[in-house]
Amino acid sequence: MKFVAKRLSRLWIVLPLLAVLAQPAAALRFPSISIHVTNPPGQEYYLDLLLRNHKSPDLPTHGDPYGSDITYREDMVALLRSYEQEGWYATYFYSGKDDFNGQLTAADYQVLQNGEPANDHYFSGYDAGMPEAFRIILVTSHGEVRVTPAIRTNGRTELRVLYDWASGKASIPDLSQAPWVYAVFAVAVLLAPRLFVRYIMRLPLRPAVPFLLAINLPCAALLSLILHLALFPLGLAKTLFLTLPVVPLSYVAEVVYIRIRKPDDTRAQMAAAFAGAALCAVLLVVLLPALYNHFTGTHPQKMIRQYDT
C-alpha cells in the first residue's frame, strides 16, 4: 500500500502544473485578431480595423505608435479617416502602445515573399483587451474602399478572419460541426490522462495500451457523438451534464478488465484507473468550455454570412 501511495504522490506533485497547462492557450496570450487577405488587390492597399468607442478618442497620433520610420500615403490615409462616423474610429490612428492596434500593411510585420508583401495582418491589445466588435476597412491606391459590417468577437480572445478581396466577403473558418474535431477531443480527454497517470506511476505502458484503447475508443465515440449532437442545441451546461457520465462508464469498464485480468500489481492498477478517471473528468470540465468558447464565435448561423462588404 505504501508503494502505491508513493507512486501516486508523483501524480499530485505534477497536477498543479498540469492544471495550469490545461487552461486555454488564449488565456496566456494577448487578445489578438489576425486577418488573412485572399485574392488581394493587385496594387498597394492599407487594411485597418474600425472600433467603436464609447467616448471621444484621443487626438490621432498620425505616426507609427511603435516608433518606426514608415511613411504612409496621405491620400489613402484620408480615405481611411473618411469612414470615421457613428462612433467608429480607425484603430491605428487613435491608438497608443497600450491600446488595441496593428499596422496598416502586412509588410510592416512580415518579410517580402517572392517580391510581394505577405497578406497577413495582425492586431492585438495589451491593456485594452479584446473589442466587443470591429469592422474591417481596406483602401487601395486607386481610391477603392471596402468596409465590412460589424463583426462581433463573442467573448473570444483570439480570432482569425479570412477576407476575400475578390468577393468582398469576410469569414471565419468554422470547425464546429466537423465530426473529427469532437472525435480527436474525446480521445485526447479520455486516453491521454490515463497514459500520463501510468507513466507517472511507472506502470508498464506497452501491455496497457491495447486494453485502454479497447475501453476508451468506444467511450470516446459515445462522447464525440454527444458533443456533436448536443453542444450547440443544448448549450454548455447541459452538454457537460450529459458527457460527464461517460468518464465513470470508462472507469467501470477499466476496473472490470483489471478484476478479470488480475495483474500482479492489482492495487497499483486500480489506483491508476481511479486517478486517470479523475484526471479525465477534470480535463473535460476545463477543456470543454474552452472548446465551446472557441466555436461560439465561428458557428455558421452567427458568422460568415453577415460580413459581405
Side-chain angles (χ1 to χ4, degrees), residues 93-109:
F93 292 100
Y94 289 101
S95 62
K97 293 182 179 180
D98 296 327
D99 296 322
F100 196 88
N101 52 34
Q103 304 294 86
L104 298 184
T105 66
D108 294 347
Y109 285 103

Side-chain angles (χ1 to χ4, degrees), residues 93-306:
F93 292 100
Y94 289 101
S95 62
K97 293 182 179 180
D98 296 327
D99 296 322
F100 196 88
N101 52 34
Q103 304 294 86
L104 298 184
T105 66
D108 294 347
Y109 285 103
Q110 300 178 333
V111 297
L112 296 180
Q113 297 178 351
N114 300 323
E116 297 293 335
N119 300 321
D120 289 309
H121 304 256
Y122 300 97
F123 298 82
S124 62
Y126 296 92
D127 296 332
M130 193 75 157
E132 293 182 1
F134 64 93
R135 301 168 71 184
I136 299 173
I137 179 171
L138 191 151
V139 302
T140 71
S141 57
H142 290 178
E144 189 171 357
V145 181
R146 292 186 182 179
V147 183
T148 68
I151 301 175
R152 300 193 63 82
T153 57
N154 292 324
R156 295 172 61 183
T157 56
E158 187 173 359
L159 201 63
R160 178 167 175 79
V161 183
L162 302 180
Y163 183 88
D164 186 357
W165 169 261
S167 66
K169 295 182 178 180
S171 62
I172 297 177
D174 175 57
L175 297 175
S176 61
Q177 298 301 305
W180 67 266
V181 174
Y182 297 117
V184 170
F185 177 84
V187 171
V189 165
L190 290 178
L191 187 60
R194 288 182 161 92
L195 294 175
F196 175 76
V197 166
R198 295 183 69 86
Y199 174 77
I200 291 296
M201 295 181 65
R202 294 185 180 178
L203 292 172
L205 290 178
R206 182 171 297 180
V209 169
F211 84 82
L212 285 178
L213 286 174
I215 291 168
N216 287 286
L217 287 183
C219 291
L222 176 60
L223 178 59
S224 61
L225 180 63
I226 294 173
L227 291 174
H228 184 71
L229 296 178
L231 188 58
F232 287 108
L234 299 183
L236 179 60
K238 291 181 180 179
T239 303
L240 271 173
F241 179 78
L242 292 174
T243 55
L244 278 175
V246 177
V247 175
L249 177 64
S250 64
Y251 168 69
V252 170
E254 188 174 353
V255 168
V256 169
Y257 179 88
I258 292 172
R259 288 292 189 183
I260 294 174
R261 184 169 174 263
K262 296 185 183 301
D264 296 335
D265 206 350
T266 303
R267 288 184 177 181
Q269 298 276 354
M270 296 290 283
F274 177 78
L279 192 55
C280 287
V282 170
L283 284 183
L284 185 60
V285 171
V286 170
L287 295 181
L288 186 56
L291 187 73
Y292 181 76
N293 176 64
H294 177 75
F295 283 157
T296 48
T298 59
H299 195 271
Q301 293 180 356
K302 295 183 179 181
M303 308 297 285
I304 295 179
R305 293 180 294 178
Q306 301 177 7

Side-chain angles (χ1 to χ4, degrees), residues 16-99:
L17 176 61
L18 186 64
V20 172
L21 296 177
Q23 294 299 317
L28 303 177
R29 303 175 183 173
F30 294 120
S32 65
I33 297 172
S34 62
I35 300 170
H36 178 75
V37 179
T38 58
N39 301 312
Q43 54 190 287
E44 186 179 6
Y45 71 91
Y46 294 166
L47 185 148
D48 202 359
L49 300 186
L50 298 178
L51 301 185
R52 192 162 193 168
N53 295 353
H54 296 292
K55 59 181 181 178
S56 297
D58 296 331
L59 292 176
T61 60
H62 291 294
D64 189 346
Y66 297 96
S68 72
D69 297 327
I70 299 173
T71 302
Y72 296 109
R73 288 182 47 165
E74 293 185 3
D75 56 335
M76 295 172 66
V77 169
L79 286 175
L80 286 173
R81 301 290 304 279
S82 67
Y83 279 78
E84 295 171 2
Q85 53 189 334
E86 299 179 357
W88 293 94
Y89 299 96
T91 300
Y92 175 80
F93 292 100
Y94 289 101
S95 62
K97 293 182 179 180
D98 296 327
D99 296 322

